[in-house]
């Protein structure tokens, strides 16, 4: 990644299972580990906007790295966690959905995004199709 020396970048990279109607903590047994976070349908997103409610249950594994760590580091750590869960992913009920979520906030004029082939191939081997879209907002947005 190329960025200006004082550019600020925030990353959030996570894997989530959703599409189920029970308490997300129940997936800990099936997955063989506790989630890093749980979303429960009907819970508030935050204390600052209590009327904004979560619309679904989620079981979440994250990179658990600081949000200023590089996106490569986030993806590498998440990939290692998911590789350990490969057989459990294969045993999820067919109606459960899952995927990888990424939020990346750039505070600079010319962001670039790059992941090496070995990371992309690692996710592909687990059955994830990887594609990226970037949305750029100008100063007036």
């Amino acid at each position: 990644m190329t960025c200006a020396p004082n550019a600020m970048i925030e990353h959030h990279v996570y894997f989530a299972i959703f599409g189920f109607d029970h308490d997300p903590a129940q997936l800990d047994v099936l997955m063989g580990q506790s989630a890093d976070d749980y979303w429960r349908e009907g819970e508030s997103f935050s204390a600052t906007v209590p009327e904004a409610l979560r619309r679904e249950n989620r079981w979440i594994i994250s990179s658990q790295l600081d949000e200023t760590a590089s996106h490569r580091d986030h993806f590498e750590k998440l990939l290692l966690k998911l590789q350990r869960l490969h057989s459990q992913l294969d045993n999820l009920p067919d109606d459960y959905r899952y995927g990888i979520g990424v939020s990346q906030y750039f505070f600079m004029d010319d962001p670039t995004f790059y992941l090496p082939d070995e990371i992309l191939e690692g996710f592909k081997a687990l059955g994830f199709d990887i594609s990226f879209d970037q949305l750029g907002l100008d100063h007036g947005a």
Side-chain angles (χ1 to χ4, degrees):
M1 172 187 282
T2 308
C3 57
N6 295 321
M8 183 177 167
I9 301 170
E10 294 179 16
H11 303 275
H12 306 274
V13 178
Y14 62 91
F15 166 81
I17 300 172
F18 47 98
F20 55 89
D21 60 2
H22 57 76
D23 186 335
Q26 291 177 1
L27 279 173
D28 290 353
V29 174
L30 181 63
M31 298 307 291
Q33 74 174 57
S34 295
D36 296 322
D37 194 12
Y38 304 99
W39 286 9
R40 290 175 177 88
E41 183 179 1
E43 287 181 336
S44 178
F45 271 94
S46 72
T48 54
V49 187
E51 63 276 6
L53 304 178
R54 300 204 185 274
R55 298 178 61 163
E56 64 186 357
N57 295 316
R58 284 193 185 187
W59 186 90
I60 301 167
I61 295 289
S62 67
S63 66
Q64 291 187 305
L65 296 175
D66 182 85
E67 64 189 22
T68 59
S70 76
H71 67 273
R72 178 183 178 149
D73 289 345
H74 278 280
F75 275 96
E76 282 180 329
K77 179 125 187 230
L78 185 62
L79 178 58
L80 290 172
K81 286 179 148 186
L82 291 174
Q83 286 171 332
R84 290 190 296 261
L85 295 174
H86 189 241
S87 63
Q88 291 92 323
L89 292 175
D90 288 341
N91 292 326
L92 284 173
D94 291 337
D95 57 338
Y96 285 30
R97 299 183 326 268
Y98 59 85
I100 297 169
V102 179
S103 298
Q104 193 170 21
Y105 303 93
F106 294 93
F107 299 94
M108 59 188 183
D109 293 329
D110 187 27
T112 58
F113 188 88
Y114 168 80
L115 285 174
D117 287 340
E118 62 267 15
I119 293 176
L120 294 172
E121 290 303 319
F123 281 105
K124 239 185 209 182
L126 293 173
F128 292 99
D129 292 323
I130 303 291
S131 64
F132 298 96
D133 291 322
Q134 283 185 298
L135 173 63
L137 301 176
D138 63 22
H139 296 284

